[in-house]
């Protein structure tokens, strides 16, 4: 259920007012609504394996960034960018038109991330890792199942 009065805590939530571009996702009102739906899907199994031991229901966005960002791109269009992190990894987020938002930024707590000047990310590179592709396919299928139950 979409909560229009909720204050969200992910980066860019206040201006995340883009609409789905794909017909199959027309029931999703905006990225805040998607966040609500994904909150029931994100789990230890969808978390990046290297972070899985630290995943908790209280930090549900931990290790979910790339699979979530590419799903967001499927739904709303735009581009996926990556903030360079330790070990050569990237934290992925979305830019749709002039709207920048990061559904999984809460995993960083009070750490301030820089959302400017970061390299665009390519799904072919991220999904070259089979485990990542499988996690993406899992959340995509779970989301489609949820959407089929919405009126």
């Amino acid at each position: 259920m979409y909560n229009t009065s909720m204050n969200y805590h992910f980066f860019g939530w206040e201006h995340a007012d883009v609409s789905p571009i794909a017909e199959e996702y027309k029931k999703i009102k905006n990225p805040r609504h998607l966040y609500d739906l994904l909150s029931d899907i994100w789990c230890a199994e969808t978390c990046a394996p290297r972070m899985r031991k630290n995943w908790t229901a209280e930090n549900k966005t931990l290790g979910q960034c790339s699979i979530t960002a590419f799903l967001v791109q499927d739904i709303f269009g735009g581009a996926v960018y990556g903030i360079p992190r330790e070990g050569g990894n990237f934290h992925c987020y979305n830019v749709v038109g002039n709207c920048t938002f990061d559904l999984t930024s809460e995993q960083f707590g009070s750490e301030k991330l820089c959302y400017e000047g970061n390299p665009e990310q390519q799904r072919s590179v991220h999904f070259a890792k089979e485990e990542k592709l499988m996690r993406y396919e899992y959340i995509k299928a779970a989301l489609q199942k949820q959407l089929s139950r919405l009126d």
Side-chain angles (χ1 to χ4, degrees), residues 25-44:
Y25 297 111
K26 292 294 183 189
K27 292 181 181 178
I28 300 173
K29 296 172 182 19
N30 56 40
R32 292 180 297 277
H33 185 207
L34 178 60
Y35 178 92
D36 293 341
L37 294 167
L38 291 175
S39 290
D40 292 332
I41 296 171
W42 287 316
C43 60

Side-chain angles (χ1 to χ4, degrees), residues 41-69:
I41 296 171
W42 287 316
C43 60
E45 291 77 27
T46 60
C47 179
R50 73 181 187 283
M51 303 169 135
R52 201 166 279 161
K53 69 180 185 328
N54 296 321
W55 188 90
T56 64
E58 293 75 36
N59 193 3
K60 63 185 167 244
T61 64
L62 180 70
Q64 312 285 342
C65 74
S66 63
I67 63 172
T68 299

Side-chain angles (χ1 to χ4, degrees), residues 108-137:
F108 297 104
S110 62
E111 180 182 345
K112 297 288 184 203
L113 300 175
C114 177
Y115 291 96
E116 295 177 8
N118 295 307
E120 188 169 350
Q121 302 296 294
Q122 302 302 317
R123 68 178 60 220
S124 59
V125 173
H126 282 267
F127 293 159
K129 296 178 184 175
E130 185 178 2
E131 63 79 17
K132 193 178 285 192
L133 177 60
M134 291 174 61
R135 290 186 297 115
Y136 161 81
E137 289 174 349

